[in-house]
Amino acid sequence: MIELVLIGIGTGNPEHLTLEAVAALKSADVVLIPKKEEGKGQLAQVRRDIVNRHATKACVQTIEFDMPARRGSRSDYRAHVEEWHHRVAEAWKQAIGTAISTLGSEGSVALLIWGDPSLYDSSLRISGRLAKEFPLRVRVIPGLTSIQVLAASHRIPVNEIGESVLITTGRNLAATGWPAGASTVLVMLDGELAFTAIEPEGVTIWWGAYLGLPQELTLTGPLKDVRARIVELRAAARSRHGWIMDVYLLRR
Ligand SMILES: C[S@@+](CC[C@H](N)C(=O)[O-])C[C@H]1O[C@@H](n2cnc3c(N)ncnc32)[C@H](O)[C@@H]1O
């Protein structure tokens, strides 16, 4: 049977890979590399560098494939994501089909997943769909999430003693405001600067962009004092690099 290994690779630093991830790469027959939309070429390059460094099997083959971009209306978010997952599954299907045509019925196909496959990532849902169509066994190798890298960069614990933590998206924070009962909120996938829309009094932010990459940026302070600076830094970095990924922890 073909084994599809979803390898969490951390957030851009090739040293983020665990020994288990390196071992899985060394034994992979084929590595699939998704290429994202214009401007995010650096992310595909990080994956290529990881393969060049760790995939030692003489016959390792890499197959690059275009990842469909998200598009269209956001009015029905769930339907919009479902439609996008469908297109991603089609792109994976083609790439895996190409791998299987060279491997036959046995072998290991690796996909390098940004951060950890369990967190705001579609790979587990999509591989579940594909496992119904191909005779695939799916294996998951955990990776460092951007949340862990953010906490490490700022040298902070994610939770306060005995307290819970809520992980959400910029879209949710902007739509519903500060989640009731939470003292710590972690925000990912925020293209809408949701931190500028909440009441800043008594809130501290720990922000990080390009964590693990050479251009890493971090900033912390009372939200009311630093939010304008983050907006500025974010815009400048985005226009300089053509893309940005950031994550932040808010504590009240
Ligand atoms: C599609 S999610 C993937 C999350 C990933 N699976 C993880 O474990 O962190 C992408 C979001 O993760 C966060 N992220 C991923 N890599 C990052 C990085 N290097 N620096 C800052 N934020 C990052 C950002 O919030 C970004 O919008």
Side-chain angles (χ1 to χ4, degrees):
M1 197 187 249
I2 295 285
E3 182 179 63
L4 178 65
V5 201
L6 305 179
I7 306 181
I9 58 167
T11 66
N13 179 344
E15 309 252 319
H16 284 176
L17 270 77
T18 64
L19 296 178
E20 189 185 18
V22 171
L25 256 175
K26 283 189 194 301
S27 61
D29 299 297
V30 176
V31 184
L32 305 182
I33 301 193
K35 289 188 293 175
K36 297 225 173 173
E37 66 268 35
E38 223 19 58
K40 284 197 176 170
Q42 187 181 7
L43 305 187
Q45 193 51 47
V46 167
R47 288 179 166 95
R48 286 187 205 107
D49 292 345
I50 286 172
V51 174
N52 292 338
R53 179 156 163 189
H54 297 299
T56 49
K57 217 177 197 183
C59 57
V60 74
Q61 184 195 355
T62 55
I63 297 177
E64 301 208 356
F65 66 101
D66 290 323
M67 272 288 273
R70 282 169 67 161
R71 62 174 186 221
S73 147
R74 295 187 147 237
S75 55
D76 183 349
Y77 184 73
R78 197 165 279 272
H80 168 76
V81 172
E82 283 285 329
E83 185 275 334
W84 177 59
H85 281 182
H86 176 73
R87 286 185 290 120
V88 175
E90 288 303 309
W92 277 37
K93 216 190 305 184
Q94 273 193 10
I96 293 173
T98 310
I100 290 177
S101 66
T102 58
L103 289 177
S105 57
E106 286 296 319
S108 169
V109 179
L111 248 160
L112 306 186
I113 307 295
W114 201 259
D116 181 78
S118 70
L119 188 66
Y120 286 109
D121 190 276
S122 52
S123 56
L124 278 163
R125 281 178 205 95
I126 290 169
S127 51
R129 281 190 193 191
L130 292 185
K132 291 183 190 141
E133 299 185 32
F134 291 107
L136 282 181
R137 184 176 58 242
V138 178
R139 183 154 71 103
V140 179
I141 315 270
L144 281 178
T145 71
S146 49
I147 291 176
Q148 291 162 292
V149 184
L150 175 76
S153 284
H154 283 287
R155 301 172 296 280
I156 51 162
V158 166
N159 62 291
E160 293 191 289
I161 298 174
E163 294 295 325
S164 50
V165 165
L166 190 130
I167 303 174
T168 190
T169 62
R171 186 173 171 276
N172 285 338
L173 187 66
T176 59
W178 190 279
S183 60
T184 297
V185 181
L186 278 146
V187 185
M188 307 177 71
L189 290 161
D190 185 5
E192 12 202 329
L193 307 175
F195 60 88
T196 60
I198 58 168
E199 168 54 53
E201 202 50 50
V203 176
T204 303
I205 186 168
W206 287 265
W207 173 81
Y210 312 102
L211 295 161
L213 290 153
Q215 69 268 42
E216 176 170 313
L217 293 171
T218 54
L219 193 66
T220 183
L223 184 58
K224 62 177 171 11
D225 299 341
V226 298
R227 61 186 175 174
R229 179 77 189 121
I230 293 174
V231 172
E232 239 173 60
L233 267 177
R234 208 181 174 281
R238 186 184 198 146
S239 85
R240 178 153 177 229
H241 302 294
W243 65 281
I244 189 160
M245 278 205 286
D246 61 343
V247 59
Y248 51 91
L249 184 150
L250 299 169
R251 187 163 282 148
R252 182 157 87 169

